[in-house]
Structures are given as structure tokens and as C-alpha cells.
Amino acid sequence: MNKRQNISGASRTITVAVSVLFAVLLTVWAFEEAGAADPNVFNRLMKPPSKRNPPPTLDGIHDPGSIGAKSLQPPKDSFSSLPKGKSGNYVDWVKALEEGKIQPRYDRLDPAAEPIVMDLNIVREVKGSMPDVVYPHKQHTEWLDCSNCHPAIFIPQKGANDISMASILLGEKCGVCHGKVAFPVAECRRCHSRTKGKEKAASKTDK
Amino acid sequence: MMRINRHTRGWLWVVVLSAMMTAYSNVIHSAGHGPQAAKPGAVSEQALSNKLQLLDRLVHGEGLINRVSNSDDAEAKQLLSEAQALWEQAEIKFEVGNYKAADDYARQGLSTISTVSRKVVDTGREAAAGRARYDQLRKRVLDFTEAFQRVVSEKPGESIGPLLDQQAVSRLLLEAEEQMQEKNFTIANQRMVEAADIVEFALVRARDKDTLLHELKFDSPEDEYRYEQQRNNSYKLLVDMLEKEKTGNSSGLAQMREAVKENARICGMADKLVEQGDIEAGIRTLEEGTEKLARVLRMSGLVF
Amino acid sequence: MSYKRNPRAIRLATVIGLLVLIAGLFSGRAVYAEYGDVVINNYSDEAGMSPVVFPHWFHRIRFRCKVCHADLGFQFKAGGNDINMLKIIEGEYCGACHDGDLAWSVENCDLCHSGKPGTSTQVHGSTLQQLVGPAGGGAGK
């Protein structure tokens, strides 16, 4: 005796389809999370774009149960309109400033204050085959004041500053900011930009 | 009415359980230790208790109370008693268990006491801060004036000197000093900032579009050897630090310890070569040692 | 079309689904904070508050480095500034802007004190910290 009424075939199919889809999605997600995926996957140490700039409740530092963390703006929302970078925040802050996408104040109270920008390049020769380092004051003085670095971090004198990659990684000299707030040193050519052999001693810049 | 048969029920259970587990696991992952209790909008007892403690300290702080009573600001006095009353109200609500109301009172109390603080400024602290800033700015002006003079001496042919209005700077420094004596810190520091800006502008114009080449030229082979030693030392410091603090990955640690030992041996070798008189060889040896350390750093994940 | 009544198939499907999810649970996904976030835990632990998480990115968009680090006296060092609530209310450090005028004021405790309890003072996401230890564990510079 057929006491129970079978639901129509269509509803059944839909339920099955949805569950299967769900199961498939979950499997994919689980494997993505587990990293049980291919150990030879391309660029396995790199964070895929989906994992960059996580919202405060998932970033590992904020307390996900706190009301504060839930009310804070997720970085991705803010970064969506800014030029992309390759490291750090994955935002190119210098470009964002140049293109006018952001208008950070130079003075706490005066939004119209203009920065004092110095256009001076320092070329540091390096040993070996790495291109020489070009330090551009222009991009830095748009953000910082002279006193932020001079003389506390860099003595403004030729030969007075010992800078090595290790000291930068340790958080000294350039590493006071780069590797902490400004872009980390993973992108070599951003600093090591003057190929050796070019005669540029004490000449004008080509900006 | 649709009666669900056991097949559909089975599938529905899969879906429901999956959804629950997904939600649960998301919370697990983000919390790291287990789901947290707070719901959005709810005020936790601990957080509220902290807020009330802070408010208590602020509205009953002797320093602030004295400042307010010594001042002529009637509004500040009134606001202070308002803030104290708000605290009492908040405490009452808290004890009763009405956390939402307690939180509201606490927030208002904090906002009010903030206003009071800013109305009745702590002159002692302000004076100390003003003085510190003045000294800092004065040093800045003098340092940068010195830097400007250095640029002038480096470029004797060009007329850079006039770029800096030394008279204006001196005048501003004098004015600032006078204001300082009269304890007008804000005005004094304003003058100082103006002076600093003049000098900075002069420096900017003096160096505009220049390129300074810092060559890697050494006065002597010994000099180069010292440079290499310092470089090697900085890498050694980094490896030491990582070796001490790195968690996990024991094979990486073993590699680092090996590298440190190897580097010590290489440094010894280099020193011996230098003693024997072959400084060039010593330098090359040290360079190799540094490169080995750099390699081990790269292998441990540092990208540089 | 009628299904074959197969309770075993249903049980199997449920078990597989659960296993897939359990795999996800134990996958140990690493979490990353926003680069440049500074956790400040000078006095928070003693006071029973969550530590403060200062987001550099949010402030970079609105202020140049000079405003805080040259004009307001913030040192380039996590934990290198002796900040406490009293100073903030008096208008020093964070209080220079978070005064209810330029930006919101001190009654919003949780917006700043939003860190995981017990996290030590550090610059999160810094190069060294990424090497030395996971979030919350390393003593960063």
C-alpha cells in the first residue's frame, strides 16, 4: 500500500542536483584548504589572490569574536579602486598617490597643504653583478619629512651609511619601513634599477 | 502537503549537515581555538566591565578634578559632574544586568570626559610637550642649515647661497625664542616650523634634479677587507637571529647551524690569508662566505 | 523514474560528505593579517583588554607618513611609543585625531582593541616575522 506520497520527480532531481553541487563545491574547497592538492603546483608558496588582504575577522590578528573586528572595513573593499602591487598590501601606493586615487594629508588639519618634495637621486654602487641601487628622494619625500630619516636613520653623508641586504632584512636602514609598512624587498628591480656600465656620475637625472 | 520520503530525507540530511559543518569549520578556522561567544551587536560583560573601569579612573582622577576645580570654566565643571553621574548610572545598569543601557551610558560618559579633558588642558604636560617639540624643531633647523652649507661648499661655481634666506631664518628663530620665554609654545613652534620649512625649501632647490653617485671605492685593500667583514657580520647576525627564533622546520635549522659553522671557518681562513699578506684572496674568501650565508637565507624562504 | 530504495547509498553519501568536511576542518589553513598592521600591547594585557590593532593601510590613504611620524611624535617602532588611555584622552598620540572631531573618539573601545587577547606587540606581516613564526607567536621588531 502506497501510504507515503512520493514527491514529484522534478523536485527529487532538483534536490539531488543541489546536494551534488554542494558536495562538489565542498570537496574543492576542502582540498584547496588542505593543500592536499598537487605538491608540484605552480608557485605553491605564493598566496593566491583570493587569500590576499583577508577581512579583519579572518586575518589571524583580530579577535574574530570581537564586535570591533566585525565593524572594521575589510581592506579589499578599500583596495579595489587602487592600483595593484606585487607585494606587501598588494597595492602600489606611489602610483595611487601619483594618479590621485588617494589624497592623504600632508598636514593633520590642513587638507590643502603641499608636501616639500626633493628630487634628488642617490646611486649606490653594489658589489657583484647586481645592478646599482637608485634611491629616489622624490617618491619618499612625498610621504615623509626630512627629519623622519635624517640624521637618525641615514647620515646625509657619502660613505657614512653601511647598508647590506641583511641589515635591511633585520629592520635597519631601509628596513625600518620596507618590509614592515612599505613594500618588502622581494621585488629586486624596484631598487636595483641601474644596470652597471652606465656612466652617470654626478650628472642630471633623466626624470 | 508534500510528504518527504526517506530518499529525499537522506539527501536533505547531507545538505543540512554539510551546511552546518561548513559554518562551524569557518568559525574554527578564524578563531583558531574554537567558536567565540560574542554575537554582533551584543556587548560582552568583560568588555563592558573594562569600559566602566576606565571611565571610573577618568571621572574620579585627582589630576583632572583638580584641574577643573582650579579653572574658571563653568561648562567644564558641569560636564565633569555630568560624566560622573553617567558613570554612576552605567554602574547601576551593569549591576542589574542591563548591559545595553550600561554601554550607552558608558559611551556617553567617555565622550563627555573626553570633552572635559580637552577643555581644561593640563598645562604642565602641555608645557613639557611644547618644550620638547621646540627643542626638536630647533635642532632640525640647525641641522638642515648645516646641510645646506655643505651643499654650497660642494658646488662652489653655482650661486646656491642666495637660495637660503638666512636673515629670515634668524629672525624667525629669535621670535620663536621670545615666544618660548613667554611660554607661548604654540606660537613659538609655529615660527620654528616656518623656519624649518624655509631651510628645507632651500635644500630642495639646491639639490633639485641632482644625482649623487656613492661609488664603492676603497682607500686601500684593508679598507675593502673591513667593509667585507662588516657585510659578512650583518648576514651572520641575521642568520643567528633566525636560527634562535625560527619555529618548526628542523631541517632548515640544521642547515642554518651548518652555515654558521662553515662561515666561521671561512672567516678564519680569510683572516689567515690577510695575515699572510694576500688581502685580495682574503676579500674573495669572505665574499664567498657571505654568499653562502645569503644562500641559506634564501633557502629558508627569504626572498632577496 | 523511481529510485532504488538503497539506504546504503544514502548512508555512504552522508559519510563521504562528512569526511570531506572533516578534511577541511583539519587542513590547518594559514591566516594572514593585513600587511603593516601593528599590534600594540603595552598595557592591554594587564588591563584585561584585547590588544590594539593599528591598521597602517587605512591611515596611509588619509595621511602621509610625515603627519604622524614627524608632527605627532610617533616613533618608527612597534611598542616604541608609551601610549596609554590617559594620554589619548588628553590629545596625545592617537588622541590628536581620535577626538570626536577629526575621527571617532574613545568611546568605541572595540574598534581599536580588536586584537586576539595575548598577542604580543609586533608589526604584523613584516618580512622577518613571516620567517620567524606564525601570527601571534613571533616577537617582531
Side-chain angles (χ1 to χ4, degrees), chain A residues 32-163:
Chain A
E32 202 191 82
E33 299 303 322
D38 182 11
N40 298 320
V41 72
F42 198 68
N43 258 331
R44 75 180 175 91
L45 285 178
M46 257 184 75
K47 273 181 267 174
S50 56
K51 293 234 185 85
R52 296 176 191 165
N53 309 125
T57 43
L58 294 176
D59 67 8
I61 270 295
H62 287 90
D63 184 355
S66 121
I67 304 166
K70 290 187 175 79
S71 321
L72 295 168
Q73 179 185 36
K76 260 198 177 126
D77 289 356
S78 171
F79 295 166
S80 54
S81 60
L82 302 178
K84 305 279 173 281
K86 297 206 187 87
S87 56
N89 293 118
Y90 296 99
V91 169
D92 190 335
W93 292 103
V94 171
K95 216 160 163 208
L97 186 65
E98 278 172 14
E99 292 175 3
K101 297 267 165 60
I102 55 174
Q103 297 93 28
R105 291 186 183 183
Y106 192 67
D107 180 81
R108 183 173 66 102
L109 298 167
D110 181 7
E114 290 290 322
I116 303 178
V117 177
M118 176 181 271
D119 191 358
L120 166 68
N121 285 357
I122 310 272
V123 177
R124 280 184 77 99
E125 264 186 10
V126 298
K127 275 206 168 183
S129 54
M130 276 300 266
D132 294 338
V133 171
V134 180
Y135 169 75
H137 271 92
K138 179 159 174 287
Q139 282 84 338
H140 288 79
T141 51
E142 273 168 357
W143 293 91
L144 295 153
D145 183 65
C146 315
S147 61
N148 283 130
C149 300
H150 300 304
I153 303 173
F154 293 98
I155 300 170
Q157 208 182 340
K158 198 174 194 175
N161 301 294
D162 269 321
I163 311 178

Side-chain angles (χ1 to χ4, degrees), chain A residues 12 16 33-34 53-54 59-63 68 78 89 93 104-105 108 142-143 148 169-170 179-180 182, chain C residues 1 3 27 29 32-36 60-62 64-67 69 96 110 114-116 124 126-128 141:
Chain A
R12 214 183 296 148
V16 168
E33 299 303 322
N53 309 125
D59 67 8
I61 270 295
H62 287 90
D63 184 355
S78 171
N89 293 118
W93 292 103
R105 291 186 183 183
R108 183 173 66 102
E142 273 168 357
W143 293 91
N148 283 130
L169 291 163
L170 274 169
K180 293 192 192 143
Chain C
M1 195 180 346
Y3 282 112
S27 65
R29 174 180 82 190
Y32 310 96
E34 188 48 57
Y35 180 77
R60 262 196 106 143
I61 292 173
R62 294 155 175 83
R64 305 195 191 212
C65 318
K66 173 226 182 220
V67 176
H69 290 289
D110 288 316
S114 54
K116 274 203 198 140
H124 198 83
S126 72
T127 311
L128 272 183
K141 275 190 152 196

Side-chain angles (χ1 to χ4, degrees), chain A residues 3-7 15-16 19 22 26 29 57-58 63-65 67 70 116-127 145-147 151 156 158-159 162 164-166 169-170 185-186 194 201-205, chain B residues 2-3 5 8 11-12 15 18-19 22 25 30-31 36 38 40 42 140 143-144 150 197 200-201 203-204 207-216 224 227-228 230-231 234-235 237-238 241 283 287 302-304:
Chain A
K3 280 214 174 136
R4 265 186 287 205
Q5 203 177 353
N6 283 336
I7 55 175
T15 318
V16 168
S19 330
F22 210 83
L26 281 169
W29 172 80
T57 43
L58 294 176
D63 184 355
I67 304 166
K70 290 187 175 79
I116 303 178
V117 177
M118 176 181 271
D119 191 358
L120 166 68
N121 285 357
I122 310 272
V123 177
R124 280 184 77 99
E125 264 186 10
V126 298
K127 275 206 168 183
D145 183 65
C146 315
S147 61
K158 198 174 194 175
D162 269 321
S164 72
M165 283 314 298
L169 291 163
L170 274 169
V185 296
R194 180 152 300 185
S203 63
K204 297 295 175 206
T205 63
Chain B
M2 178 176 94
R3 264 180 261 153
N5 73 5
T8 326
W11 283 112
L12 279 173
V15 171
S18 317
T22 317
S25 79
S30 29
Q36 302 289 327
R140 193 188 293 187
D143 279 345
F144 288 147
R150 257 209 312 271
D197 279 354
E200 282 182 24
F201 266 119
L203 265 170
V204 162
R207 283 270 192 227
D208 194 38
K209 304 251 188 303
D210 269 0
T211 304
L212 291 178
L213 179 60
H214 290 197
E215 293 159 304
L216 214 49
E224 191 175 348
Y227 172 84
E228 275 307 317
Q230 260 169 334
R231 209 166 76 94
S234 68
Y235 279 82
L237 279 171
L238 184 55
M241 204 213 79
I283 294 171
E287 276 174 7
L302 269 174
V303 181
F304 70 98

